[in-house]
Amino acid sequence: MPEPALRILKDIFGYDSFRGRQSEVIERVAGGGDALVLMPTGGGKSLCFQVPALLRSGLAVVVSPLIALMDDQVATLGELGVAAVALNSTLTAQAQREIAQQIQRGEIKMLYLAPERLVQPRMLNFLQGLEIALFAIDEAHCVSQWGHDFRPEYLQLGQLAELFPTVPRIALTATADTRTREEIVERLHLQNAERFLSSFDRPNIFYRIVAKEQQRKQLQAFLAERKGDAGIVYCLSRKKVEEVAAFLVAQGHPALPYHAGLPYELRAQHQKRFLNEEGLIMVATIAFGMGIDKPNVRFVAHLDLPKSLEAYYQETGRAGRDGLPADAWMAYGLQDVLMLKQMLQKSDGDERHKRVEQHKLDAMLALCEQIRCRRQALLAYFDEDLPQPCGHCDNCVDGVQTWDATEPARQALSAIYRSGQRYGVGHLLDVLLGRENERVRSLGHQHLAVFGVGKALGESEWRSLFRQLVARGLADVDLEGYGGLRLSESCRPLLRGEVSLQVRRDLKPQHTAKSSSSAASQLVRAEEREQWEALRALRRKLAEEHGVPPYVIFPDATLLEMLRSQPDSLPAMGQVSGVGARKLERYGAAFLAVLGGEAPAPKVVADIRHELISLARAGMTPTQIAGQLDCSEKNVYVLLAEAIGRQQLSLEQALDLPAELLGEIQDAFLDGEAELPTAAALAEQFSGRVVDGVLYCVRAALQAELEV
Ligand code: ADP
Ligand code: ZN
C-alpha cells in the first residue's frame, strides 16, 4: 500500500491498518479507476471512498439516499477535522447558497447529496465547473428494480459517466446477490469496473433461534443478560410493537416503540433518542432500520419471523457494526409459520411472484429448523461456502438433538386428513390427545380412528412437531387461509411409509437466552466497569456539547482499547486505534484524566435531567441553569422541552417570557393546518427575538396539550 494512504488512515482516522480489501479498493479509485464494492454492513465501506477522496485533489461527491445517514457521516467527518457537508432539503435557501460559495472557494472536501438532487441540471452544471475528485455512490443496490429499495432517481446516475468521463466512480453496497451486482455495473455505466467482493459473514454476531413458548418471558430472560445494551426488538404488527414496548417499560427496561403508524414527529424523536442515548431498546416493525448507522447496537431480537433470509440477514446485520460481539436472537413458533403462509396466500400478485415469495419463506423456515451450523446455512443461501461449522451459533455451541418422529408425524397427518383438512392445531391436538370436549363431541371427532392415539407425547412436543411439519412443507395452511391445516403433495411418501422423519428436539426455554461465552454485555469485566462507565459518561457529555451521537466522538471499540491499554500520556493515547490527530488534540487530555482517575466523573444525563427540573421549578432561567449544570444553553432548552413534553414542568416554570410574545409564538404554531409546524420552520420568523430553544419549549407544551 502506498505510504500516503496509510498516513491518512493513521493521522485522520487513527487506525493502524486497512481491513479486508480496503487498500486494494483505495488504490484502484485513487488511481482513477471505477470500482464496485460489495461488503457486509460494518465491513468498512466508508473508508473505501473517504481515503481516495483525501488523496485526490478536488471535491468528492457522495450520493446517499438517506438524510439521517448523511448527517451521521458528515458529523463523523467533522469530528475528524475533514470539511464535509450535506446538501439536503432541510436546509434554507440561504444556507444552501453559503455552501455553494464555500465549495467554489475550495473549502469543502466532501459533499453528500441525495441522488435526485445530484441529477438536477443546475447541480450537474455547477459541478461541471469544478474539479471533482470522485463520485461515490452508496447503497448502490437502489438502482436495482428487483430489490426492495429501488429508487428511480438512481437510474439517472448513469449519465455521470458521459458528463464526467475522467472522474472515477465507486459504487458500494451490502447487498450480495449476483444479479443485483451486474445490474449496478450496467445501469451506472461503470467503466471496466473492478469488482471487489468480500465475504458476507458477520463473524462477531452470535445467532440463536429458539422455539417460541412464552415469548415475553423468553424475551425478558434474554434481555436480563444484556442490561444497559442498546438493541432492536422486531415485531410484525404495530399493535404488537406497542404492547411489547409497554411491557418492557413496565418491567423496567428503557424501551421505545417505532412503527409507521406513529406521528412523524414522535417517530423522529424516538429514532433520535435511540441514536443519541445509550442502552435504549427500540421495539419496532421493519419500518425501523434503513439508514440506522448506530455502530453499537448490541443485539437484534425477533419476536416474529422475517419473510425471507434476505430480510433476516439485513435486520440482524444491524447488530454489531462496530465489530464487537453482538447477538441475533429470534423466538419462532407455529403461529409465525401459519401467519406468514396465510399472508402469502391472501396476497395479490401473480402466481410467479407468489412462488418466489414462497420459496424465500421456505428458505427462512429451513434456517429455523436447521440442525447443522446456522451460519453455514445462512451463507450457503448467499452462495458462500463456509468450510467448517462456525462454532459461534446456538447449533454449534449447544449441539442439536433430533428424534425419530416418523410415527407421530403419520398420526398427525392422519388426524389432519380424517378431520377433513380444515382444523387448526388446537383442535387437532384435542383429537390426538383424546380430549373429549364440547367441540370434539359436536363434530363427532371422538369416533375418529386417531382419537387419543397420541398420548405418548406431550402438548409442547406435538406443537413442535406440527410446526416442523408445516415448516418442511409436509402439511400446509388450508386454502381458505384461516389457519386450518391440510395435507400437501410432499407428505405422501411419509404416509406410505417409504421415508422416515428426523426432527429437532426443542430446547427448554431456560437454556435459550444464553449467548456465547463472549456475551455482548460481558464486553467489560466487573472490575473494569467503573472506569468504563466513567469513559462513557465523558463521551456522552462531549457528545451533548457537540450535538452529535456519542459514537461519533469515539466508537465503543476505541473506548474499550483505552480501557485495556491504559495509555498514560498523549503520545500513548494517540496509539489507540480510532484516535486520530484531531481527536487526540481535542479529547485526548480529557480521556487521559478519566483513566488517571484525576477528573471527577462528569454528571450523567439522567442526573442532569433531575437537577434541571428542580432548578427550573425553583425559578432559575435557562441561562442560569446552564451555568449551574455546566452544560450548553442549547442542551438546557432541549431538556426543558423534553420535560415539558412529559408534563414534568409547565411552560411558565421553564421560561420567563412576556405574555404577548408567548401568545404571538403560540399563534404562529397554531396558524397552519392540522399539524404543528416544526420549531425549525418558525426559527427565521422569530430570529433575533427569541433563541430557537424557546420555540422547542413552546412547541412541546402545545403538543402535550393537543395530545390530551
Ligand atoms: P459499512 O459502511 O461498511 O457498514 P463503516 O464504514 O461504517 O461500515 O465501518 C464500520 C466501522 O468500522 C466504523 O466504526 C469504522 O470506523 C470502522 N473501521 C473501518 N475501517 C477500519 C479499519 N481499517 N480499522 C479500524 N476500524 C475500521
Ligand atoms: Zn455455527
Side-chain angles (χ1 to χ4, degrees), residues 117-243:
R117 190 162 274 259
L118 173 59
V119 298
Q120 283 168 4
R122 266 186 57 202
M123 177 58 77
L124 290 170
N125 231 325
F126 172 70
L127 294 176
Q128 279 185 297
L130 302 169
E131 184 185 13
I132 304 296
L134 57 84
F135 287 101
I137 300 163
D138 208 358
E139 313 284 342
H141 59 278
C142 291
V143 81
S144 159
Q145 270 153 327
W146 294 103
H148 316 281
D149 304 333
F150 174 58
R151 293 180 181 238
E153 317 84 67
Y154 263 74
L155 291 174
Q156 292 188 50
L157 295 174
Q159 57 181 309
L160 295 174
E162 288 75 49
L163 294 175
F164 301 87
T166 58
V167 177
R169 283 167 307 136
I170 166 173
L172 309 103
T173 176
T175 301
D177 69 282
T178 327
R179 181 160 64 175
T180 312
R181 189 193 305 165
E182 292 315 311
E183 249 184 309
I184 293 173
V185 172
E186 184 191 325
R187 297 191 165 180
L188 293 180
H189 305 185
L190 298 182
Q191 315 288 320
N192 301 319
E194 195 169 338
R195 294 150 171 79
F196 297 91
L197 316 179
S198 315
S199 164
F200 271 72
D201 186 20
R202 301 288 311 280
N204 58 319
I205 297 182
F206 186 93
Y207 295 96
R208 180 178 289 285
I209 301 177
V210 308
K212 197 188 274 186
E213 299 204 349
Q214 292 170 296
Q215 49 181 315
R216 289 189 176 185
K217 273 207 176 135
Q218 290 173 288
L219 178 64
Q220 236 186 318
F222 173 78
L223 294 178
E225 291 197 350
R226 287 161 188 80
K227 283 246 151 67
D229 287 346
I232 307 173
V233 177
Y234 280 114
C235 302
L236 195 60
S237 71
R238 297 173 182 187
K239 181 159 166 275
K240 184 160 167 188
V241 162
E242 305 260 355
E243 288 169 1

Side-chain angles (χ1 to χ4, degrees), residues 15 17-19 22 40-47 321:
Y15 298 134
S17 55
F18 287 108
R19 270 191 197 159
Q22 277 176 337
T41 305
K45 285 187 282 303
S46 316
L47 286 188
R321 257 173 185 270

